[in-house]
Amino acid sequence: MPAPTEEANTNEANPTANNDTNKIMAILGYIFPFLFFIPLITDAKNDQFARFHAGQQLNLLLFWIIGQVVASLSTVILIGILLYPIVYITGIVLMVIGIINVSKNISKDLPLIGRWHLIK
């Protein structure tokens, strides 16, 4: 008896994401989030896997920028001293999660910031 077929889930492995160049661009985009746009201007712009991770990288970049601005502005009331390490550590954790997702060919939203899909 054949096994029942399962519907494709965005949280599972993406078989079309086997292009090593796209994976390398996605990993570099998590290490350097300001490079999120590179897959959008190269041949990878047609690859849904690359576009998904470019959007997650944009979210990560916005998290870093907004977190640093809020921490800087709140140093006046001494809360910023606590916010800097929280933003930094959270950003590093999100970056590692994104790299792990790319290496496993998974298109999964990042925790906390991934549900906003700014790049379709």
Side-chain angles (χ1 to χ4, degrees), residues 73-114:
L73 293 176
S74 61
T75 55
V76 174
I77 54 174
L78 299 176
I79 294 174
I81 295 169
L82 299 174
L83 285 180
Y84 275 117
I86 291 171
V87 169
Y88 182 76
I89 292 169
T90 304
I92 295 293
V93 169
L94 292 173
M95 179 180 69
V96 169
I97 291 171
I99 291 170
I100 291 170
N101 287 343
V102 169
S103 66
K104 291 182 177 181
N105 289 337
I106 297 173
S107 295
K108 185 176 179 182
D109 291 342
L110 293 174
L112 302 175
I113 62 171

Side-chain angles (χ1 to χ4, degrees), residues 29-43:
Y30 280 110
I31 295 171
F32 306 106
F34 57 87
L35 296 177
F36 75 91
F37 65 91
I38 297 294
L40 303 176
I41 61 172
T42 62
D43 293 337

Side-chain angles (χ1 to χ4, degrees), residues 10-14 17 22-33 35-40 44 47-61 94-110 113-114 116-120:
T10 59
N11 294 340
E12 294 182 10
N14 186 351
N22 292 349
K23 284 176 73 171
I24 291 169
M25 281 193 290
I27 289 171
L28 286 175
Y30 280 110
I31 295 171
F32 306 106
L35 296 177
F36 75 91
F37 65 91
I38 297 294
L40 303 176
D47 184 6
Q48 187 172 357
F49 181 77
R51 292 180 64 81
F52 173 82
H53 285 286
Q56 295 298 299
Q57 294 159 10
L58 176 59
N59 289 351
L60 183 60
L61 177 64
L94 292 173
M95 179 180 69
V96 169
I97 291 171
I99 291 170
I100 291 170
N101 287 343
V102 169
S103 66
K104 291 182 177 181
N105 289 337
I106 297 173
S107 295
K108 185 176 179 182
D109 291 342
L110 293 174
I113 62 171
W116 294 286
H117 296 277
L118 303 175
I119 296 176
K120 301 288 179 187

